[in-house]
């Protein structure tokens, strides 16, 4: 029986520093590098509500997810919503919580949100600014306290918001295209 070792084969220094010699798959999309994740140009932030913005990082129209930064510069209730698929978050600045839980997501925290859960995002008055990176898979379904659907966001509505915002602020609607994969 042939066994493949899970330990990598040791290569010479010359081999380690030699790039892969073959072409990448022709149908694979190019990498996406966002050099200034927190942009210097305020126009990159797309408004969601008063003092609430998102900054797109990746809009995966082929897989139905988006990566973005959520920035909040006010206290209060932002939204009650449900996700049909998992969401991942990493708090870069400030803190936030959900009314339905007793934990607080603080700077440096990673948050996993299980599919099907409904929660209400809150930024408390002692937080001057909150920035969290989220990977949202599928959709955000906005609901009332009893779960009645009030609306939704998915990668396509987010892309539309980006294009409309960038068209109106001088960056141009096609500025959003760099984030599409």
């Amino acid at each position: 029986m042939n066994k493949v070792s899970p330990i990598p084969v040791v290569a010479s220094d010359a081999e380690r520093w030699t790039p892969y010699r073959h072409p990448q798959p022709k149908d694979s999309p190019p990498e996406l590098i966002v050099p200034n994740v927190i942009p210097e140009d305020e126009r990159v932030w797309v408004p969601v509500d008063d003092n609430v913005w998102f900054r797109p990082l990746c809009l995966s129209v082929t897989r139905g997810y988006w990566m973005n930064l959520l920035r909040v510069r006010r206290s209060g209730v932002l939204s009650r919503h449900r996700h049909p698929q998992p969401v991942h978050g990493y708090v870069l600045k400030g803190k936030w919580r959900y009314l339905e839980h007793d934990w607080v997501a603080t700077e440096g925290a990673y948050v996993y949100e299980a599919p099907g859960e409904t929660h209400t995002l809150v930024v408390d008055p002692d937080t001057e600014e909150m920035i969290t990176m989220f990977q949202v898979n599928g959709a955000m379904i906005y609901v009332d306290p009893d779960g009645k659907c009030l609306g939704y966001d998915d990668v396509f509505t987010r892309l539309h918001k980006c294009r409309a915002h960038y068209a109106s602020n001088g960056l141009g609607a096609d500025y959003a295209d760099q984030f599409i994969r």
Side-chain angles (χ1 to χ4, degrees):
M1 177 186 281
N2 243 350
K3 286 189 176 184
V4 177
S5 172
I7 301 170
V9 175
V10 178
S12 69
D13 272 352
E15 287 176 326
R16 288 183 185 183
W17 287 95
T18 302
Y20 182 64
R21 294 183 179 115
H22 303 281
Q24 299 298 334
K26 72 176 188 166
D27 297 320
S28 177
E31 290 88 2
L32 174 56
I33 307 298
V34 180
N36 297 311
V37 171
I38 299 178
E40 293 178 16
D41 187 343
E42 286 292 314
R43 297 177 301 166
V44 176
W45 291 99
V46 179
V48 176
D49 200 353
D50 290 338
N51 291 310
V52 180
W53 303 265
F54 74 92
R55 189 265 199 265
L57 298 172
C58 179
L59 301 168
S60 180
V61 297
T62 58
R63 295 283 184 178
Y65 74 86
W66 71 94
M67 297 282 305
N68 72 171
L69 298 183
L70 176 66
R71 179 175 75 177
V72 180
R73 289 184 170 162
R74 70 168 167 89
S75 65
V77 175
L78 272 71
S79 69
R80 181 181 308 98
H81 59 274
R82 164 184 310 125
H83 302 283
Q85 295 185 25
V87 171
H88 303 271
Y90 177 70
V91 183
L92 298 169
K93 185 175 184 182
K95 61 184 179 175
W96 55 272
R97 63 187 176 90
Y98 287 135
L99 290 178
E100 295 78 11
H101 297 290
D102 61 1
W103 51 262
V104 176
T106 57
E107 194 168 306
Y110 163 75
V111 177
Y112 169 79
E113 299 176 9
E117 181 178 300
T118 301
H119 39 243
T120 310
L121 198 148
V122 173
V123 175
D124 290 314
D126 63 341
T127 301
E128 187 176 309
E129 181 178 56
M130 180 278 282
I131 300 176
T132 299
M133 182 172 61
F134 283 107
Q135 178 185 357
V136 181
N137 298 289
M140 290 179 58
I141 303 166
Y142 303 106
V143 298
D144 72 8
D146 295 311
K148 179 182 175 191
C149 183
L150 303 173
Y152 72 94
D153 261 323
D154 62 16
V155 68
F156 302 103
T157 63
R158 287 289 169 134
L159 176 56
H160 176 76
K161 288 174 185 177
C162 289
R163 285 184 170 147
H165 175 66
Y166 297 146
S168 72
N169 73 8
L171 290 173
D174 61 349
Y175 185 82
D177 294 352
Q178 66 185 299
F179 305 113
I180 298 172
R181 290 297 181 270

